[in-house]
Amino acid sequence: MIEFTLWDILRNLLLATRWTILLSLVSFIGGGAVGLGLLLLRISKNKACRAFAKYYIELFQGTPLLMQLFIAFFGLGLFGIDVPAWLAAGMALILWTAAFVAEIWRGCVESVARGQWEASASLGMGRLQQMRYVILPQALRVAIPPTVGFSVQIIKGTALTSIIGFVELSKAGTVVTNATFQPFTVYGLVALIYFALCWPLSKSSQILERKLNVAHRNH
C-alpha cells in the first residue's frame, strides 16, 4: 500500500487550488463586465432593455447555480455541442455572477442623490456621460465593500463545478481522499485552504465598509 505524507496530500490540493483561483478570477472579471452591461440596461430609459435585464437577473438569481452548471455542460450536449468542463464552468459562473453584481451595483447607483442626475443633465451631459463622470464615481465608493464581499461567494461557488467533472479544490479533495483513505485530513486541509482564500476578502470588505462609513460621517 502506498503511503501518502501530509506534504503529498497538501501538494496535490495546492495544485488544484490554482484552478479554483483562476476560475474565480475569470468569473469575477467576466461577470463584472456582463454585470456592468446589465446595470446599464437595468437603468435604461428603454422599457425593453429594462425588461430584458430584469428577467435575466430574476432567472439567474432564482435558479440554483448547480442547475445552471448542469445545463451549461450537459444541456448543450443534447444539441451535439461538446463543451469542455472548464468552459462550461466559466460560462455558468460568469452568467451567475453577472446577475448578482448587476443588482449590487444598481442599488449603489440608485443610492446616489437624484439631484446629481439633474445637475449633470443641466450641464448638457448625455446619459452615458452622466454615468461615466458623475454617477459611477460616486456609486463606486459604495459598491466596493459588497462587491468584494460577494467575491467570497464566487470562490465558494466554484466548488459546485465538481458536478461536471472540473477538477478544482473540492473535486481534488474527493480524488485525494479516494487515494489516501484519509478523509478528515484531506477535507480539513481543503477547508483551511478555502478559509485562507476567503478570509482576507471578507476582512477587507469589513475594513472598507468601516472606512467608508467614517468618511461619510466626516463629510
Side-chain angles (χ1 to χ4, degrees), residues 48-130:
C49 289
R50 292 199 309 272
F52 171 81
K54 176 186 176 183
Y55 291 125
Y56 174 100
I57 291 168
E58 289 180 353
L59 174 64
F60 281 89
Q61 285 191 350
T63 54
L65 175 57
L66 198 65
M67 186 204 72
Q68 295 167 27
L69 285 163
F70 190 88
I71 291 174
F73 186 66
F74 296 105
L76 293 176
L78 296 176
F79 300 95
I81 303 173
D82 186 19
V83 181
W86 64 268
L87 181 58
M91 288 192 303
L93 280 168
I94 284 173
L95 297 176
W96 175 78
T97 298
F100 284 90
V101 296
E103 277 298 273
I104 290 172
W105 293 346
R106 182 179 70 88
C108 296
V109 166
E110 291 183 349
S111 71
V112 177
R114 190 65 194 172
Q116 297 293 316
W117 288 95
E118 295 169 354
S120 56
S122 68
L123 296 175
M125 290 186 180
R127 187 75 170 179
L128 289 178
Q129 289 178 313
Q130 289 176 296

Side-chain angles (χ1 to χ4, degrees), residues 3-16 169 172-173 176-177 179-183 185-187 189-190 193:
E3 291 292 333
F4 291 89
T5 66
L6 184 62
W7 169 242
D8 290 330
I9 295 172
L10 182 59
R11 181 181 59 193
N12 282 282
L13 293 177
L14 290 176
L15 288 172
L169 180 55
V176 174
T177 296
T180 63
F181 302 101
Q182 300 181 49
T185 299
V186 174
Y187 286 114
L189 289 171
V190 168
I193 294 172

Side-chain angles (χ1 to χ4, degrees), residues 8-217:
D8 290 330
I9 295 172
L10 182 59
R11 181 181 59 193
N12 282 282
L13 293 177
L14 290 176
L15 288 172
T17 301
R18 298 179 305 173
W19 292 107
T20 292
I21 294 172
L22 180 59
L23 184 58
S24 298
L25 288 173
V26 167
S27 303
F28 185 79
I29 295 171
V34 177
L36 181 59
L38 286 172
L39 166 65
L40 295 176
L41 293 177
R42 192 77 170 86
I43 62 176
S44 169
K45 292 182 177 180
N46 185 288
K47 186 176 180 180
C49 289
R50 292 199 309 272
F52 171 81
K54 176 186 176 183
Y55 291 125
Y56 174 100
I57 291 168
E58 289 180 353
L59 174 64
F60 281 89
Q61 285 191 350
T63 54
L65 175 57
L66 198 65
M67 186 204 72
Q68 295 167 27
L69 285 163
F70 190 88
I71 291 174
F73 186 66
F74 296 105
L76 293 176
L78 296 176
F79 300 95
I81 303 173
D82 186 19
V83 181
W86 64 268
L87 181 58
M91 288 192 303
L93 280 168
I94 284 173
L95 297 176
W96 175 78
T97 298
F100 284 90
V101 296
E103 277 298 273
I104 290 172
W105 293 346
R106 182 179 70 88
C108 296
V109 166
E110 291 183 349
S111 71
V112 177
R114 190 65 194 172
Q116 297 293 316
W117 288 95
E118 295 169 354
S120 56
S122 68
L123 296 175
M125 290 186 180
R127 187 75 170 179
L128 289 178
Q129 289 178 313
Q130 289 176 296
M131 287 292 294
R132 179 179 177 183
Y133 296 110
V134 180
I135 305 302
L136 286 183
Q138 296 181 64
L140 180 63
R141 292 194 293 271
V142 183
I144 290 175
T147 303
V148 173
F150 183 71
S151 64
V152 174
Q153 301 302 318
I154 297 174
I155 293 173
K156 291 189 289 186
T158 61
L160 295 177
T161 61
S162 61
I163 191 177
I164 60 174
F166 184 77
V167 184
E168 40 62 66
L169 180 55
S170 63
K171 181 67 173 181
T174 301
V175 173
V176 174
T177 296
N178 292 337
T180 63
F181 302 101
Q182 300 181 49
F184 291 104
T185 299
V186 174
Y187 286 114
L189 289 171
V190 168
L192 286 174
I193 294 172
Y194 271 117
F195 180 79
L197 293 175
C198 296
W199 185 81
L201 292 171
S202 296
K203 197 65 179 178
S204 62
S205 176
Q206 295 170 10
I207 292 171
L208 284 168
E209 191 167 1
R210 283 199 298 268
K211 287 184 176 179
L212 286 171
N213 289 335
V214 170
H216 179 72
R217 286 196 298 268

